[in-house]
Amino acid sequence: MHNAEVHAGTRLSLAGRTALVTGAASGLGKRIAEVFADAGASVVIADLRLADAQATADAIGAKGARTLAVAMDVTDEESVDMGFALAQQRLGAVDILVSNAGIQIVAPLQDFRFGDWKRLLAVHLDGGFLTARAAMRQMMASGRGGSIIFMGSVHSKEASRLKAPYVTAKHGLEGLAKVIAKEGAACNIRSNVICPGFVRTPLVEKQIPEQAQELGISEEEVIRNVMLRDTVDGEFTTVDDVAQAALTFAAWPSNALTGQSLVVSHGWFMQ
Ligand code: NAD
């Protein structure tokens, strides 16, 4: 089994908390927002794509959770700060941040365009910094502390061909999370990283034909021999697997679990 049923028995509670998830109009962020709402949280769906964010917020809200869709470009300081201010005004200070928005651009290093390098680092690293800073300010002011979760990747630990800025950025998020764990501890702010293997979201669906072309192999070979080759069972990780890891970090009640990273990858990378 590798779907929501696997996790159906989990009963961690986020009742009374407000969570802001970036990139929550799609893929992993969307599923994390749904699982957090099921666990009792009020959820802010922050994304570049406001219409899709609104549709996600409406669908989650229809089941009874308090939700808010916010247009946010995580690379833009003003956009991030305004989004967090609106979230606080409507749903209260943020207790949980999932800094998840991300993009992928693949090319050999010698051909990588500088503009693409900078764009990718901006989404993952500027986005991680700006959203974490805004969240920390609210968590400190509320006096409740909170949980900051970065969406890393197996590429926070390992390298792959064609992914120079992505691997660089995902390694960088581990450093940022460790600094926040140290600076935030006195205010009960915890910070951790989730490192998924390949999950079939739009981000990955787009890469399959791109990698097939760059590597001169079939799409089936990209899946079997590139993406899943080093897993223990040839399986994709699922959005539910990652959402449950996020729920654990979000609900964890003490600084015992901070400055850590959790690899959820069917054994592709073993610590
Ligand atoms: P996705 O493409 O389905 O969703 C990404 C979302 O981020 C989209 O809704 C997009 O609009 C949003 N976004 C992009 N740029 C943004 C910006 N500047 N500001 C705000 N929102 C922005 O991708 P996904 O697979 O769900 O990826 C989510 C995260 O998980 C990313 O950080 C990605 O690197 C990471 N990740 C994904 C996988 C995987 O296999 N899918 C594996 C490891 C890590």
Side-chain angles (χ1 to χ4, degrees), residues 4 7 10 12 14 28-41 43 60 63 239-248:
H7 302 289
T10 310
L12 293 170
L14 299 180
L28 289 166
K30 182 176 180 177
R31 187 63 191 140
I32 290 167
E34 290 166 352
V35 166
F36 281 12
D38 283 347
V43 184
I60 295 173
K63 293 197 211 154
V239 291
D240 281 293
D241 295 325
V242 177
Q244 291 299 326
L247 178 58
T248 303

Side-chain angles (χ1 to χ4, degrees), residues 94-97 131-150 176-192 249 252-259:
V94 166
D95 302 295
I96 300 156
L97 164 68
T131 56
R133 187 182 67 174
M136 284 181 83
R137 287 173 174 166
Q138 291 193 8
M139 290 169 182
M140 286 173 169
S142 75
R144 295 194 300 268
S147 176
I148 294 177
I149 301 161
F150 293 100
L176 179 58
K178 289 179 189 175
V179 173
I180 294 171
K182 293 200 172 189
E183 292 190 9
C187 299
N188 272 322
I189 297 171
R190 300 174 293 286
S191 179
N192 294 287
F249 279 133
W252 198 269
S254 76
N255 285 341
L257 191 56
T258 194

Side-chain angles (χ1 to χ4, degrees), residues 4-241:
E5 289 163 36
V6 177
H7 302 289
T10 310
R11 292 209 204 305
L12 293 170
S13 173
L14 299 180
R17 316 262 198 100
T18 296
L20 187 148
V21 185
T22 68
S26 174
L28 289 166
K30 182 176 180 177
R31 187 63 191 140
I32 290 167
E34 290 166 352
V35 166
F36 281 12
D38 283 347
S42 301
V43 184
V44 184
I45 313 294
D47 205 287
L48 262 186
R49 295 152 38 195
L50 181 58
D52 292 335
Q54 190 64 60
T56 301
D58 290 346
I60 295 173
K63 293 197 211 154
R66 294 171 75 216
T67 60
L68 174 70
V70 167
M72 183 184 290
D73 177 353
V74 299
T75 69
D76 183 277
E77 184 175 19
E78 198 184 341
S79 174
V80 170
D81 289 345
M82 280 175 56
F84 271 80
L86 185 63
Q88 181 167 30
Q89 199 187 335
R90 303 278 280 278
L91 296 182
V94 166
D95 302 295
I96 300 156
L97 164 68
V98 185
S99 185
N100 164 80
I103 59 171
Q104 180 60 281
I105 305 170
V106 293
L109 189 77
Q110 68 273 19
D111 298 332
F112 232 107
R113 290 202 296 262
F114 190 33
D116 286 341
W117 166 271
K118 285 195 280 197
R119 186 157 65 93
L120 196 145
L121 292 191
V123 175
H124 294 266
L125 290 180
D126 296 358
F129 161 68
L130 289 171
T131 56
R133 187 182 67 174
M136 284 181 83
R137 287 173 174 166
Q138 291 193 8
M139 290 169 182
M140 286 173 169
S142 75
R144 295 194 300 268
S147 176
I148 294 177
I149 301 161
F150 293 100
M151 195 53 70
S153 164
V154 165
H155 289 112
S156 302
K157 312 281 186 186
E158 264 292 352
S160 288
R161 291 181 179 81
L162 311 177
K163 295 188 176 176
Y166 189 83
V167 170
T168 303
K170 291 302 193 189
H171 275 67
L173 289 175
E174 293 222 320
L176 179 58
K178 289 179 189 175
V179 173
I180 294 171
K182 293 200 172 189
E183 292 190 9
C187 299
N188 272 322
I189 297 171
R190 300 174 293 286
S191 179
N192 294 287
V193 185
I194 302 174
C195 301
F198 283 103
V199 185
R200 289 198 87 153
T201 64
L203 179 136
V204 161
E205 295 295 347
K206 177 173 164 283
Q207 280 175 64
I208 296 171
E210 288 173 356
Q211 291 216 24
Q213 192 175 354
E214 289 284 357
L215 298 170
I217 58 179
S218 71
E219 294 188 14
E220 185 50 44
E221 286 170 318
V222 170
I223 293 172
R224 203 180 50 243
N225 299 338
V226 179
M227 292 183 163
L228 303 180
R229 188 193 63 195
D230 294 326
T231 61
V232 294
D233 53 10
E235 296 276 359
F236 278 99
T237 301
T238 68
V239 291
D240 281 293
D241 295 325

